[in-house]
Amino acid sequence: MKIVLAYSGGLDTSIILHWLKENYQAEVIAFFADVGQEEELARLEAKALKTGATKCVIEDLREEFARDFIFPVFQAGAIYENQYFLGTSIARPLIAKRMVEIARIERADAIAHGATGKGNDQVRFELAAAALAPDLHVIAPWREERFRKQFPGRAEMIAFAKKNGIPVEASAQKPYSMDRNLLHISYESGVLEDASFDASSKEMRGMYKLSVAPEEAPDEPEYVDLAFEKGICVAVNGKSLSPLQVMQTLNQLGGKHGIGRVDVVENRFVGMKSRGVYETPGGAILHFAHRQVETLTMDREVMHLRDSLVPKYSELVYNGFWFSPEREALQALVTETQRDVTGLVRLKLYKGNIIVAGRKSPKSLYDAKIATMEADASAYDQSDATGFIRLNALRLKLQAAMQDHRGSRNQSM
């Protein structure tokens, strides 16, 4: 048997690699997708091979991640439950897609992952695999009773690693878990499971990797210009950049000014609530700037229609339905809405805040001649509003009259 394992080099996937080899008598191909984790890749292959992998495949997917996954989500204006920028959610379908492709190349029988049976990632990996390769078997060790029985906690995993010479750097005392990619870093579990715990306190400042605390950000604001074409950011401060470079640049700028930190209690797809702390400095800037260009260039009804679909689109991404026909249909609509979302927005970054400092577009629908409060009957005749209001008020007047009639009739009775 041959298995392709989504491998990070951490404690869980290192143990799983060895466990799969022993319990399935299988060849295990370790696959590491570089989506911006900033891992030390030079040592990763040696670690995987020493742990028992027959092969280790490491691929740089950062540009594809930014171009084909992050940017379409931001074109849609998607935020899950109005707070979460979907950083982990949107990376999983890309990793699963490439896992399936490698499984085909290697003629593997199955793919495997280290997601637990309580979280969302198991669903995301497996729904993607079902859509792309329904014939491939998926192995999820954390959902196997024999695995959970052998490893009821981290202490047992660390002991197993030492006993079997598995090279991992892990501590039973680690107070939280962390997942990083180009879009964000998420922090969960441990001390963060107490929803009343203050993750912004001084003692937790060492946890954050992408951003400074807002109160420690520079005392002077910084201005940044973002240029958009069809809803895609193509330049920062006048310099043309690739999607990957855009994200790297905005992460640096946002992190410097303490932007993009959120503390969320969210609803997992599997039914429970969970608490997560996220750093999304570049994503927060990109989302805000994109909306500013949309306010100039999008037709009102088109914007409202797209906005009405944001909760559904976000839910599909969060729940793992990236490769579903309904998400693809919504994406086609989003692409259509972005045809004229072209322009430049200037932002002021200051101590955790993003402040608009100007916007312009060659395709702007904003016309100062019409919007002006100065007299200009040729552009907009204010007298026309009388009939407009009268027509819109008609049903309200009828409703009020009916209620008055009912009230008087009840009094007479």
Side-chain angles (χ1 to χ4, degrees):
M1 188 176 187
K2 191 180 287 188
I3 302 168
V4 176
L5 169 67
Y7 176 74
S8 69
L11 178 63
D12 285 26
T13 56
S14 294
I15 296 298
I16 286 171
L17 194 162
H18 194 280
W19 188 87
L20 288 172
K21 187 176 179 181
E22 280 191 345
N23 287 269
Y24 282 85
Q25 290 78 52
E27 290 183 43
V28 180
I29 298 168
F31 169 57
F32 180 86
D34 182 2
V35 288
Q37 298 94 318
E38 302 294 332
E39 294 281 354
E40 179 52 65
L41 301 183
R43 297 168 52 195
L44 201 65
E45 182 176 9
K47 184 189 293 186
L49 295 176
K50 187 173 181 180
T51 305
T54 56
K55 188 176 183 179
C56 182
V57 179
I58 300 173
E59 294 189 353
D60 185 350
L61 302 180
R62 293 175 301 165
E63 194 69 69
E64 182 181 359
F65 182 37
R67 181 189 66 240
D68 298 339
F69 292 81
I70 294 176
F71 276 27
V73 165
F74 278 82
Q75 279 186 305
I79 303 182
Y80 183 67
E81 296 183 339
N82 293 312
Q83 296 186 87
Y84 171 44
F85 284 111
L86 298 164
T88 300
S89 314
I90 194 55
R92 299 322 189 205
L94 171 57
I95 296 170
K97 168 180 167 287
R98 192 60 189 136
M99 280 180 71
V100 166
E101 291 168 351
I102 292 169
R104 295 300 195 205
I105 293 168
E106 298 290 341
R107 299 189 177 183
D109 305 285
I111 60 173
H113 61 76
T116 74
K118 282 190 171 183
N120 297 307
D121 282 342
Q122 57 177 339
V123 185
R124 294 163 183 157
F125 278 124
E126 296 183 38
L127 289 181
L132 300 174
D135 56 305
L136 267 181
H137 182 50
V138 179
I139 300 172
W142 278 110
R143 297 209 304 267
E144 295 191 28
E145 187 176 353
R146 56 178 173 164
F147 183 85
R148 296 196 304 274
K149 203 168 185 179
Q150 186 175 355
F151 303 109
R154 288 178 65 83
E156 289 80 8
M157 299 184 87
I158 293 169
F160 181 86
K162 288 180 179 178
K163 180 181 177 182
N164 291 277
I166 299 171
V168 294
E169 296 176 10
S171 166
Q173 307 305 316
K174 187 177 180 182
Y176 52 82
S177 66
M178 183 181 90
D179 184 78
R180 179 174 184 170
N181 63 43
L182 182 64
L183 181 53
H184 84 164
I185 299 182
S186 66
Y187 305 93
E188 291 182 322
S189 75
V191 296
L192 299 176
E193 289 180 352
D194 178 359
S196 68
F197 178 79
D198 182 5
S200 70
S201 60
K202 286 186 177 181
E203 59 266 31
M204 293 301 291
R205 286 185 183 175
M207 177 178 77
Y208 297 93
K209 307 297 181 186
L210 292 179
S211 61
V212 301
E215 56 266 39
E216 294 179 350
D219 292 330
E220 294 297 321
E222 182 171 358
Y223 290 84
V224 56
D225 294 340
L226 280 74
F228 286 82
E229 291 181 6
K230 296 183 178 180
I232 297 294
C233 183
V234 296
V236 178
N237 289 333
K239 183 179 180 180
S240 295
L241 300 174
S242 72
L244 171 58
Q245 291 170 330
V246 167
M247 294 308 304
Q248 291 172 327
T249 300
L250 296 183
N251 277 335
Q252 188 276 325
L253 285 169
K256 175 183 174 183
H257 292 278
I259 288 164
R261 291 187 180 186
V262 294
D263 186 332
V264 181
V265 175
E266 67 200 56
N267 291 295
R268 285 183 180 172
F269 190 23
V270 294
M272 69 187 74
K273 289 184 181 290
S274 67
R275 193 266 188 99
V277 177
Y278 302 101
E279 287 183 278
T280 320
I285 294 172
L286 187 63
H287 176 82
F288 185 92
H290 175 250
R291 183 67 179 195
Q292 296 306 312
V293 179
E294 284 187 329
T295 61
L296 276 182
T297 59
M298 280 182 75
D299 172 80
R300 181 188 71 185
E301 296 306 317
V302 172
M303 176 182 281
H304 291 178
L305 174 62
R306 194 282 312 273
D307 286 353
S308 72
L309 296 170
V310 165
K312 180 61 178 178
Y313 181 102
S314 304
E315 183 182 277
L316 289 172
V317 176
Y318 185 86
N319 291 346
F321 289 95
W322 180 259
F323 294 110
S324 68
E326 62 269 33
R327 198 283 307 175
E328 292 173 352
L330 285 178
Q331 198 73 57
L333 183 143
V334 167
T335 300
E336 175 64 19
T337 68
Q338 300 297 295
R339 281 188 312 171
D340 296 327
V341 182
T342 295
L344 182 75
V345 58
R346 169 163 286 188
L347 304 176
K348 180 165 65 174
L349 311 180
Y350 182 66
K351 291 191 177 295
N353 296 293
I354 310 170
I355 304 160
V356 64
R359 46 179 106 62
K360 61 182 179 180
S361 170
K363 298 190 175 184
S364 176
L365 298 177
Y366 172 77
D367 189 336
K369 293 178 181 178
I370 295 176
T372 181
M373 296 301 290
E374 302 299 323
D376 187 359
S378 63
Y380 182 95
D381 187 346
Q382 296 187 46
S383 299
D384 292 341
T386 302
F388 173 80
I389 295 169
R390 183 179 293 122
L391 288 173
N392 277 280
L394 178 59
R395 65 185 182 87
L396 303 179
K397 290 180 177 180
L398 291 172
Q399 180 69 18
M402 179 63 69
Q403 289 174 345
D404 287 345
H405 175 69
R406 286 174 180 167
S408 59
R409 188 174 63 181
N410 288 336
Q411 287 178 359
S412 63
M413 294 173 65

